[in-house]
Amino acid sequence: MKSHQEKANERIARGNELRAAGMHDRAIEAYREALHLVPAYGSLNLVLGDMLLEQQRYEEAAEAYQATLEHMPDHDQALAGLGQCQLVLEQHETALETFNRALEANPRNGQAAYYGAMLYVLNGDRKKAADYLAGALQRSPSWEENARQDPLLKGLFEESASLSRLGAGRRWWQFWRKSGG
């Protein structure tokens, strides 16, 4: 007879196969079964949150990220994912706090800086948005393509791109520290 851990490992392996095959709903179900069998696999909630976020199931994704944070309160990826959910769910104040927590946990988290910039654009503060976006690009240049294609950030990206990489990073860091980050 198999232990709960062996069964959970099988469910995780099956979930990985289903995810690779593009069967996200079934993969999510397999991961949830594994978590039910072995709740100590709490970091699996991060994978679950990411999948639910990709599926635009924001409330469920937020719950999965919160479950990750219960075990690892400073997990910057879970914080950034939760912040994205909060942003989409129009919980703007909470989202900004969450992005700042993610950046406090890991100042190189480009995802948190990128979506923080988006939040500032939505709130009408293009200066702060430009600083946040400059920080995202300084920390993770791979976000540049996303910014160029995003209707909200494309013009803002042009404003931030005119700053030198080093100057933008310094201004962003100074802003972030002054804003309570």
Side-chain angles (χ1 to χ4, degrees), residues 77-93:
Q77 292 170 325
L79 287 163
L82 177 60
Q84 274 186 262
C85 294
Q86 293 165 335
L87 175 65
V88 172
L89 296 170
E90 298 184 11
Q91 300 167 358
H92 292 181
E93 264 185 60

PDB file of all heavy atoms in Angstrom, residues 77-93:
ATOM      1  N   GLN A  77       7.955  35.790  -5.041  1.00  0.00           N
ATOM      2  CA  GLN A  77       7.177  35.389  -6.215  1.00  0.00           C
ATOM      3  C   GLN A  77       5.692  35.259  -5.859  1.00  0.00           C
ATOM      4  O   GLN A  77       4.820  35.662  -6.636  1.00  0.00           O
ATOM      5  CB  GLN A  77       7.701  34.080  -6.788  1.00  0.00           C
ATOM      6  CG  GLN A  77       9.086  34.219  -7.390  1.00  0.00           C
ATOM      7  CD  GLN A  77       9.689  32.864  -7.727  1.00  0.00           C
ATOM      8  OE1 GLN A  77       9.478  31.884  -7.026  1.00  0.00           O
ATOM      9  NE2 GLN A  77      10.449  32.827  -8.808  1.00  0.00           N
ATOM     10  N   ALA A  78       5.413  34.703  -4.695  1.00  0.00           N
ATOM     11  CA  ALA A  78       4.021  34.597  -4.256  1.00  0.00           C
ATOM     12  C   ALA A  78       3.435  35.989  -4.015  1.00  0.00           C
ATOM     13  O   ALA A  78       2.281  36.253  -4.360  1.00  0.00           O
ATOM     14  CB  ALA A  78       3.917  33.736  -2.991  1.00  0.00           C
ATOM     15  N   LEU A  79       4.231  36.883  -3.441  1.00  0.00           N
ATOM     16  CA  LEU A  79       3.768  38.255  -3.222  1.00  0.00           C
ATOM     17  C   LEU A  79       3.485  38.964  -4.545  1.00  0.00           C
ATOM     18  O   LEU A  79       2.459  39.631  -4.694  1.00  0.00           O
ATOM     19  CB  LEU A  79       4.801  39.038  -2.404  1.00  0.00           C
ATOM     20  CG  LEU A  79       4.892  38.664  -0.924  1.00  0.00           C
ATOM     21  CD1 LEU A  79       6.187  39.186  -0.310  1.00  0.00           C
ATOM     22  CD2 LEU A  79       3.681  39.180  -0.168  1.00  0.00           C
ATOM     23  N   ALA A  80       4.374  38.808  -5.520  1.00  0.00           N
ATOM     24  CA  ALA A  80       4.163  39.446  -6.828  1.00  0.00           C
ATOM     25  C   ALA A  80       2.923  38.882  -7.516  1.00  0.00           C
ATOM     26  O   ALA A  80       2.131  39.633  -8.097  1.00  0.00           O
ATOM     27  CB  ALA A  80       5.400  39.278  -7.704  1.00  0.00           C
ATOM     28  N   GLY A  81       2.726  37.571  -7.443  1.00  0.00           N
ATOM     29  CA  GLY A  81       1.532  36.960  -8.032  1.00  0.00           C
ATOM     30  C   GLY A  81       0.266  37.434  -7.337  1.00  0.00           C
ATOM     31  O   GLY A  81      -0.738  37.759  -7.990  1.00  0.00           O
ATOM     32  N   LEU A  82       0.305  37.493  -6.012  1.00  0.00           N
ATOM     33  CA  LEU A  82      -0.840  37.987  -5.252  1.00  0.00           C
ATOM     34  C   LEU A  82      -1.130  39.442  -5.629  1.00  0.00           C
ATOM     35  O   LEU A  82      -2.290  39.823  -5.819  1.00  0.00           O
ATOM     36  CB  LEU A  82      -0.586  37.859  -3.744  1.00  0.00           C
ATOM     37  CG  LEU A  82      -1.669  38.411  -2.828  1.00  0.00           C
ATOM     38  CD1 LEU A  82      -3.003  37.708  -3.061  1.00  0.00           C
ATOM     39  CD2 LEU A  82      -1.231  38.269  -1.368  1.00  0.00           C
ATOM     40  N   GLY A  83      -0.087  40.234  -5.756  1.00  0.00           N
ATOM     41  CA  GLY A  83      -0.259  41.627  -6.166  1.00  0.00           C
ATOM     42  C   GLY A  83      -0.927  41.744  -7.529  1.00  0.00           C
ATOM     43  O   GLY A  83      -1.791  42.600  -7.740  1.00  0.00           O
ATOM     44  N   GLN A  84      -0.547  40.875  -8.459  1.00  0.00           N
ATOM     45  CA  GLN A  84      -1.193  40.881  -9.774  1.00  0.00           C
ATOM     46  C   GLN A  84      -2.685  40.589  -9.643  1.00  0.00           C
ATOM     47  O   GLN A  84      -3.506  41.245 -10.293  1.00  0.00           O
ATOM     48  CB  GLN A  84      -0.570  39.817 -10.683  1.00  0.00           C
ATOM     49  CG  GLN A  84       0.649  40.280 -11.416  1.00  0.00           C
ATOM     50  CD  GLN A  84       1.111  39.222 -12.381  1.00  0.00           C
ATOM     51  OE1 GLN A  84       2.023  38.466 -12.075  1.00  0.00           O
ATOM     52  NE2 GLN A  84       0.500  39.165 -13.545  1.00  0.00           N
ATOM     53  N   CYS A  85      -3.016  39.610  -8.832  1.00  0.00           N
ATOM     54  CA  CYS A  85      -4.431  39.281  -8.619  1.00  0.00           C
ATOM     55  C   CYS A  85      -5.170  40.486  -8.037  1.00  0.00           C
ATOM     56  O   CYS A  85      -6.261  40.839  -8.491  1.00  0.00           O
ATOM     57  CB  CYS A  85      -4.578  38.083  -7.688  1.00  0.00           C
ATOM     58  SG  CYS A  85      -3.942  36.548  -8.368  1.00  0.00           S
ATOM     59  N   GLN A  86      -4.567  41.109  -7.043  1.00  0.00           N
ATOM     60  CA  GLN A  86      -5.185  42.266  -6.403  1.00  0.00           C
ATOM     61  C   GLN A  86      -5.344  43.415  -7.389  1.00  0.00           C
ATOM     62  O   GLN A  86      -6.357  44.125  -7.364  1.00  0.00           O
ATOM     63  CB  GLN A  86      -4.355  42.694  -5.191  1.00  0.00           C
ATOM     64  CG  GLN A  86      -4.372  41.666  -4.080  1.00  0.00           C
ATOM     65  CD  GLN A  86      -3.284  41.891  -3.054  1.00  0.00           C
ATOM     66  OE1 GLN A  86      -2.240  42.491  -3.333  1.00  0.00           O
ATOM     67  NE2 GLN A  86      -3.519  41.402  -1.833  1.00  0.00           N
ATOM     68  N   LEU A  87      -4.375  43.591  -8.272  1.00  0.00           N
ATOM     69  CA  LEU A  87      -4.454  44.626  -9.290  1.00  0.00           C
ATOM     70  C   LEU A  87      -5.652  44.392 -10.206  1.00  0.00           C
ATOM     71  O   LEU A  87      -6.474  45.284 -10.427  1.00  0.00           O
ATOM     72  CB  LEU A  87      -3.152  44.647 -10.107  1.00  0.00           C
ATOM     73  CG  LEU A  87      -3.095  45.589 -11.303  1.00  0.00           C
ATOM     74  CD1 LEU A  87      -3.178  47.035 -10.867  1.00  0.00           C
ATOM     75  CD2 LEU A  87      -1.806  45.348 -12.081  1.00  0.00           C
ATOM     76  N   VAL A  88      -5.784  43.169 -10.709  1.00  0.00           N
ATOM     77  CA  VAL A  88      -6.891  42.832 -11.604  1.00  0.00           C
ATOM     78  C   VAL A  88      -8.231  42.928 -10.886  1.00  0.00           C
ATOM     79  O   VAL A  88      -9.234  43.348 -11.472  1.00  0.00           O
ATOM     80  CB  VAL A  88      -6.692  41.419 -12.202  1.00  0.00           C
ATOM     81  CG1 VAL A  88      -7.911  40.972 -12.973  1.00  0.00           C
ATOM     82  CG2 VAL A  88      -5.463  41.396 -13.100  1.00  0.00           C
ATOM     83  N   LEU A  89      -8.250  42.567  -9.614  1.00  0.00           N
ATOM     84  CA  LEU A  89      -9.487  42.624  -8.822  1.00  0.00           C
ATOM     85  C   LEU A  89      -9.770  44.039  -8.286  1.00  0.00           C
ATOM     86  O   LEU A  89     -10.676  44.222  -7.478  1.00  0.00           O
ATOM     87  CB  LEU A  89      -9.413  41.615  -7.666  1.00  0.00           C
ATOM     88  CG  LEU A  89      -9.333  40.150  -8.100  1.00  0.00           C
ATOM     89  CD1 LEU A  89      -9.025  39.253  -6.908  1.00  0.00           C
ATOM     90  CD2 LEU A  89     -10.621  39.723  -8.793  1.00  0.00           C
ATOM     91  N   GLU A  90      -8.964  44.998  -8.759  1.00  0.00           N
ATOM     92  CA  GLU A  90      -9.112  46.418  -8.429  1.00  0.00           C
ATOM     93  C   GLU A  90      -8.964  46.713  -6.942  1.00  0.00           C
ATOM     94  O   GLU A  90      -9.595  47.619  -6.398  1.00  0.00           O
ATOM     95  CB  GLU A  90     -10.419  46.974  -8.994  1.00  0.00           C
ATOM     96  CG  GLU A  90     -10.464  46.894 -10.508  1.00  0.00           C
ATOM     97  CD  GLU A  90     -11.699  47.525 -11.127  1.00  0.00           C
ATOM     98  OE1 GLU A  90     -12.453  48.221 -10.404  1.00  0.00           O
ATOM     99  OE2 GLU A  90     -11.906  47.312 -12.332  1.00  0.00           O
ATOM    100  N   GLN A  91      -8.099  45.979  -6.291  1.00  0.00           N
ATOM    101  CA  GLN A  91      -7.734  46.229  -4.892  1.00  0.00           C
ATOM    102  C   GLN A  91      -6.402  46.976  -4.911  1.00  0.00           C
ATOM    103  O   GLN A  91      -5.369  46.471  -4.483  1.00  0.00           O
ATOM    104  CB  GLN A  91      -7.626  44.903  -4.141  1.00  0.00           C
ATOM    105  CG  GLN A  91      -8.904  44.104  -4.130  1.00  0.00           C
ATOM    106  CD  GLN A  91      -8.701  42.673  -3.663  1.00  0.00           C
ATOM    107  OE1 GLN A  91      -7.592  42.241  -3.363  1.00  0.00           O
ATOM    108  NE2 GLN A  91      -9.794  41.927  -3.609  1.00  0.00           N
ATOM    109  N   HIS A  92      -6.421  48.196  -5.448  1.00  0.00           N
ATOM    110  CA  HIS A  92      -5.201  48.916  -5.778  1.00  0.00           C
ATOM    111  C   HIS A  92      -4.304  49.222  -4.588  1.00  0.00           C
ATOM    112  O   HIS A  92      -3.093  49.036  -4.670  1.00  0.00           O
ATOM    113  CB  HIS A  92      -5.534  50.184  -6.552  1.00  0.00           C
ATOM    114  CG  HIS A  92      -6.083  49.905  -7.915  1.00  0.00           C
ATOM    115  ND1 HIS A  92      -6.430  50.899  -8.784  1.00  0.00           N
ATOM    116  CD2 HIS A  92      -6.342  48.739  -8.567  1.00  0.00           C
ATOM    117  CE1 HIS A  92      -6.883  50.373  -9.906  1.00  0.00           C
ATOM    118  NE2 HIS A  92      -6.847  49.062  -9.804  1.00  0.00           N
ATOM    119  N   GLU A  93      -4.878  49.707  -3.495  1.00  0.00           N
ATOM    120  CA  GLU A  93      -4.047  50.018  -2.325  1.00  0.00           C
ATOM    121  C   GLU A  93      -3.339  48.779  -1.800  1.00  0.00           C
ATOM    122  O   GLU A  93      -2.148  48.796  -1.501  1.00  0.00           O
ATOM    123  CB  GLU A  93      -4.892  50.632  -1.208  1.00  0.00           C
ATOM    124  CG  GLU A  93      -4.858  52.133  -1.188  1.00  0.00           C
ATOM    125  CD  GLU A  93      -5.612  52.684   0.008  1.00  0.00           C
ATOM    126  OE1 GLU A  93      -5.243  52.365   1.161  1.00  0.00           O
ATOM    127  OE2 GLU A  93      -6.569  53.439  -0.239  1.00  0.00           O
TER     128      GLU A  93
END
